[in-house]
Amino acid sequence: MADRDPGAFEQARCPGTSWEDILAADDVPPPAFMAEDRSQYLGSEPIDAARYYSPEFFKAECEKMWPAVWQFAAREEDLPEPGDYVTYDNAGRSYLIVRQEDGSVKAFHNVCLHRGRKLKTDSGSAEQFLCPFHGFSWNPDGSLRNIPCRWDFAHLTDSKMQLPEASLARWGGYIFVRDNAEGPTIEEYLDPLPEFFKRWRHEECVTVAWVAKVIPANWKIAMEAFMESYHAYVTHPQLMPFTGDANAAYHVLGRHVNVNYTPFGVISPHIEAQAEAEHWPQQRIIDEFRKYNGRSADNYDEDKDNYAIRVPEGRSARAALGEKMREVSEKQFGGDYSGVSESELLDALVYNVFPNFAPWGGFMPNIVYRWRPWPDQDKCLMEVRVIARVPEGQPRPAGVPMHMLSDDQIWADAPELGVLGAVLDQDSENMALCHEGLKVSKNQAVELADYQEVRIRHIHQTLDSYLNA
């Protein structure tokens, strides 16, 4: 880490209104942890461009990092009934995540113990896992079910042919898998996320949209596009009338966890002067929010127009939005939202769990990102889920299946994403061109901002800790 005056880092913030100032002005204060400044200075050295395209670096990730980390493999609603399974592939390994008769979940290595064929390439429900090559089969609990011509395999016992298990953990409605048997518990790994998310109860949510697309870029390039708001002014200019991009906060929370808090319902500092010169009313913030915000429940139900509101005289757009969202949330999901802050109903609270899992916090429908190499360092599979609360008193439904876009489709071709699809398409162009550019960069260096891009530096330092272990 480069030497630097810590006081200078404290000044590395956008002049004017801060994240903390915005929270302090809200009608309802958020949880204390959201207002606590947990930023860190992690150095100013450039990142080696080869980390994104080198086959050797990718091989090191596959051998030293991916087997040692907890990976988000499924949501509970993806496999609601006994016998339901999800196939999870990543970095050359394949797992079967299977719901058991007692409601527990197990993870098996998705490989036939006869000749090594993958048992499954899909997700669904099964009474047995039958290898399509020679018919060896296993029960949902991993025990051997049948070997055709068993007389020719006297050397194979049932215990020897039990499907090998991977480590599995469950938290907050999410199911995680890890190849290595040894390592931290999921609570230790996610710290402090379990404490933070107690309030938001993702285990009470269900997947209402799930779209995936293969991106022609390294998985880290795709992930890093969603780890800072610094890009929004140029990449997403339509968001500036209601997004405090340069007001955002960046906190390093633990070895594997960091967060970007970006306020909505306020004008970007980049266009504040324009807004003042043109005498923008607070109502304009609301109107632009309604058109381009990609996270309200309205975006997933075209028959609703819950945010067609007027800003009362003397009120800010942010306060009016918060008040309306409390009312709408109580109507849609039940419960008492009077003590819920504007920030938890409105802002982008984007957490990242190393290496590739990013759940949004708060009480609105939550975006959940995941990125995986697909299959190598030059492409990745990017997945965007939206989870929403199950209304009080209603049974928990099964989640929707993944909608896989073809190579010639864009995110906007997925109607279930609403206006979010167009925002993702703006990001996707950057990803592909970054990957191309880094391969031919003359100085082979990626330069990062000390504050706004500290989350990117943090994940690279965590990655190094695994590669150098």
Side-chain angles (χ1 to χ4, degrees):
M1 184 182 297
D3 293 331
R4 179 173 174 173
D5 175 11
F9 177 66
E10 292 299 325
Q11 299 305 314
R13 305 288 189 276
C14 181
T17 306
S18 68
W19 164 253
E20 293 80 9
D21 294 333
I22 292 171
L23 295 184
D26 285 343
D27 290 342
V28 180
F33 64 78
M34 289 174 56
E36 179 186 358
D37 187 351
R38 296 180 63 168
S39 57
Q40 293 184 33
Y41 173 62
L42 298 182
S44 301
E45 298 85 356
I47 302 293
D48 183 3
R51 297 169 73 92
Y52 298 95
Y53 64 79
S54 162
E56 292 75 24
F57 192 86
F58 178 70
K59 181 181 179 182
E61 290 178 340
C62 292
E63 293 177 353
K64 298 180 179 180
M65 184 271 287
W66 286 112
V69 297
W70 284 114
Q71 301 174 46
F72 162 45
R75 285 272 307 169
E76 296 280 358
E77 65 268 19
D78 296 342
L79 53 163
E81 302 295 333
D84 289 351
Y85 66 91
V86 169
T87 300
Y88 174 70
D89 295 327
N90 188 30
R93 294 170 175 82
S94 185
Y95 307 93
L96 284 172
I97 315 299
V98 188
R99 180 76 67 184
Q100 302 299 301
E101 285 292 336
D102 63 359
S104 64
V105 183
K106 291 186 176 182
F108 303 106
H109 290 269
N110 182 27
V111 177
C112 176
L113 299 181
H114 173 220
R115 297 272 290 275
R117 188 194 191 279
K118 282 187 177 181
L119 293 171
K120 289 291 184 181
T121 58
D122 62 356
S123 299
S125 184
E127 294 183 356
Q128 63 174 327
F129 296 113
L130 176 71
C131 179
F133 195 178
H134 296 91
F136 277 53
S137 63
W138 285 264
N139 295 308
D141 65 359
S143 60
L144 180 67
R145 186 182 184 102
N146 183 50
I147 298 178
C149 298
R150 183 74 187 251
W151 53 264
D152 206 14
F153 293 90
H155 54 291
L156 297 183
T157 64
D158 285 8
S159 60
K160 184 177 182 178
M161 295 300 286
Q162 173 83 22
L163 284 179
E165 291 189 43
S167 299
L168 184 135
R170 300 157 73 183
W171 165 81
Y174 300 96
I175 299 171
F176 299 84
V177 67
R178 182 178 64 199
D179 199 77
N180 290 356
E182 300 299 322
T185 65
I186 192 62
E187 290 78 15
E188 293 168 339
Y189 190 90
L190 295 175
D191 185 58
L193 220 60
E195 184 64 31
F196 287 12
F197 276 62
K198 276 182 182 179
R199 180 174 172 86
W200 300 321
R201 304 188 305 278
H202 278 206
E203 64 275 10
E204 297 179 5
C205 298
V206 67
T207 301
V208 296
W210 182 8
V211 184
K213 180 172 173 58
V214 175
I215 305 294
N218 182 263
W219 67 276
K220 296 185 294 297
I221 290 175
M223 178 175 66
E224 291 165 14
F226 299 87
M227 296 186 74
E228 41 81 9
S229 297
Y230 180 44
H231 71 284
Y233 175 50
V234 175
T235 301
H236 309 301
Q238 77 276 19
L239 307 184
M240 294 303 93
F242 63 87
T243 303
D245 55 335
N247 304 118
Y250 300 88
H251 297 170
V252 176
L253 303 175
R255 183 188 182 195
H256 302 106
V257 183
N258 57 47
V259 67
N260 169 203
Y261 297 132
T262 300
F264 286 167
V266 296
I267 296 173
S268 166
H270 289 291
I271 64 169
E272 276 182 339
Q274 175 191 350
E276 290 177 7
E278 297 177 3
H279 305 291
W280 286 12
Q282 287 290 300
Q283 185 63 43
R284 178 162 180 176
I285 299 175
I286 299 280
D287 295 341
E288 297 299 313
F289 176 87
R290 287 178 57 214
K291 284 192 290 186
Y292 297 115
N293 165 53
R295 191 172 159 234
S296 72
D298 289 4
N299 289 293
Y300 317 108
D301 188 340
E302 61 185 15
D303 296 326
K304 293 180 179 177
D305 193 15
N306 289 314
Y307 301 105
I309 62 177
R310 306 301 300 177
V311 181
E313 187 69 29
R315 293 282 276 169
S316 70
R318 182 174 170 87
L321 276 169
E323 186 174 343
K324 186 64 174 179
M325 286 182 171
R326 292 185 193 96
E327 174 191 325
V328 170
S329 296
E330 289 185 3
K331 182 175 67 175
Q332 288 179 334
F333 309 119
D336 180 8
Y337 282 75
S338 61
V340 174
S341 66
E342 285 89 334
S343 184
E344 295 168 282
L345 291 166
L346 187 61
D347 295 338
L349 314 178
V350 189
Y351 291 83
N352 185 278
V353 176
F354 181 86
N356 64 331
F357 167 47
W360 286 38
F363 283 99
M364 288 181 68
N366 296 87
I367 297 171
V368 180
Y369 298 121
R370 179 170 66 182
W371 301 269
R372 289 183 272 172
W374 205 263
D376 55 26
Q377 71 279 352
D378 291 324
K379 291 183 179 180
C380 71
L381 182 68
M382 176 175 166
E383 298 167 65
V384 180
R385 287 188 191 235
V386 180
I387 63 172
R389 259 155 247 297
V390 178
E392 283 189 345
Q394 293 190 16
R396 180 188 180 89
V400 300
M402 186 176 77
H403 174 186
M404 183 72 170
L405 296 172
S406 62
D407 288 344
D408 59 353
Q409 288 181 303
I410 60 177
W411 293 103
D413 290 329
E416 60 267 47
L417 292 178
V419 296
L420 178 60
V423 176
L424 296 172
D425 285 322
Q426 292 172 320
D427 289 310
S428 294
E429 184 175 4
N430 289 336
M431 301 172 201
L433 294 176
C434 277
H435 191 80
E436 291 180 18
L438 288 172
K439 286 186 173 183
V440 296
S441 167
K442 286 298 183 182
N443 67 0
Q444 286 295 291
V446 175
E447 300 287 358
L448 299 176
D450 289 340
Y451 180 65
Q452 295 178 96
E453 295 174 312
V454 69
R455 300 175 73 208
I456 297 173
R457 189 178 299 282
H458 178 231
I459 67 149
H460 281 274
Q461 291 181 358
T462 302
L463 175 56
D464 283 342
S465 73
Y466 281 93
L467 299 186
N468 298 329

